[in-house]
Amino acid sequence: MIKTLFTEFRTLTLIVIIILLTITIALVFNWFLNRFIKKSLLNHHKDLTGFLFIKHISTALIYVVGIACALVQIPEFKIVGHSLLAGAGVVSLIAGLASQQALSNIMSGILIVIFKPFRVNDKITIRESFTGIVEDINLRQVVIRDFENNRIIVPNSVISSDLIINAHLGDTKCCKMIDIGIGYSSNVEKALDIMKEEVAKHPLHIDPRNKEDLENKVPPVIARVTALNDSSVNLRVWAWAANSADAFILQCDLLQSIKKRFDDAGIEIPFPQRTVTFPNTMDKNEI
């Protein structure tokens, strides 16, 4: 009888200790999250949605494990306790599987920061269709701001395995090829001279020549005939700018100024023309 009472007292004491320990761990865990992580997020004006979700899930798991350990001490509830522990194990397994993508993004983000295929404020193009300025690189994703001020969110694991065009990696100079077709009756040499003159006098144009080019007397602006098409002689001039933003403005200005110079010089820019013929199906008696 005394032995039984002692056993029950020991079991009850152990259950109380487990419950108190569970509550203590949960309180310390929440205090730590609120004291350091939440404060850090608020100081950096970050969204608390993910933090609160993880906090609630983690706290619930702590209580489930604690209650299960307490129930295991009671023979009548041992099966229930084992079931709760098994359930917590399943939840942990599911969380582990679900976090594989998150861990992949974190690892990819670390590799991006280490090897620097691009950096914040770089202009990049991904999948040959999305172009913008890198605005943020965090542990999960890369934020790209396109030229319409939209944000493109790309997971780190996706962008790290994708083809990237970086306009700012290494040399930032950018070359724009201005292609214009002229008529076969137009003066090709004069058209080439006009294109070179317009490029050379533009304020955003830079001299791309190196020391060797200067020694070999390579001209600062080069223009060439690139093709003889069915209805036009295709000309190309190479225009260089300090960066991609200046290069875009340079290209737009040159298209306008070269077109005006061609008009003044009587150089034709051919365009498709079609003759439409309507068959006369009306009876002559009806006319």
Side-chain angles (χ1 to χ4, degrees), residues 97-232:
L97 293 174
S99 65
Q100 285 184 0
Q101 185 64 39
L103 293 175
S104 176
N105 287 328
I106 292 173
M107 191 61 195
S108 298
I110 294 173
L111 294 177
I112 289 172
V113 172
I114 292 175
F115 293 104
K116 294 182 174 63
F118 53 85
R119 294 166 295 184
V120 174
N121 295 325
D122 280 2
K123 175 189 173 185
I124 65 172
T125 301
I126 58 175
R127 299 186 178 179
E128 300 181 357
S129 56
F130 300 107
T131 301
I133 305 299
V134 178
E135 196 171 66
D136 186 25
I137 304 173
N138 55 47
L139 289 178
R140 183 191 178 276
Q141 63 208 10
V142 174
V143 181
I144 302 172
R145 184 183 74 251
D146 68 9
F147 298 111
E148 295 180 352
N149 206 36
N150 299 315
R151 267 58 177 181
I152 304 171
I153 311 298
V154 187
N156 292 333
S157 59
V158 173
I159 199 169
S160 64
S161 61
D162 207 347
L163 179 65
I164 303 171
I165 300 174
N166 189 343
H168 291 86
L169 186 62
D171 193 356
T172 61
K173 293 195 300 292
C174 183
C175 178
K176 287 293 184 180
M177 295 176 287
I178 313 297
D179 294 306
I180 300 178
I182 64 173
Y184 273 90
S185 61
S186 300
N187 189 324
V188 175
E189 288 74 18
K190 188 175 182 179
L192 290 173
D193 288 340
I194 289 174
M195 295 174 73
K196 288 188 286 187
E197 290 170 5
E198 290 301 312
V199 172
K201 71 180 185 181
H202 196 283
L204 293 180
H205 173 70
I206 63 173
D207 191 343
R209 295 175 297 176
N210 53 33
K211 184 178 180 181
E212 183 179 352
D213 293 335
L214 293 172
E215 291 175 354
N216 294 329
K217 297 182 179 180
V218 175
V221 181
I222 298 175
R224 295 279 189 270
V225 176
T226 57
L228 300 176
N229 285 342
D230 294 338
S231 59
S232 66

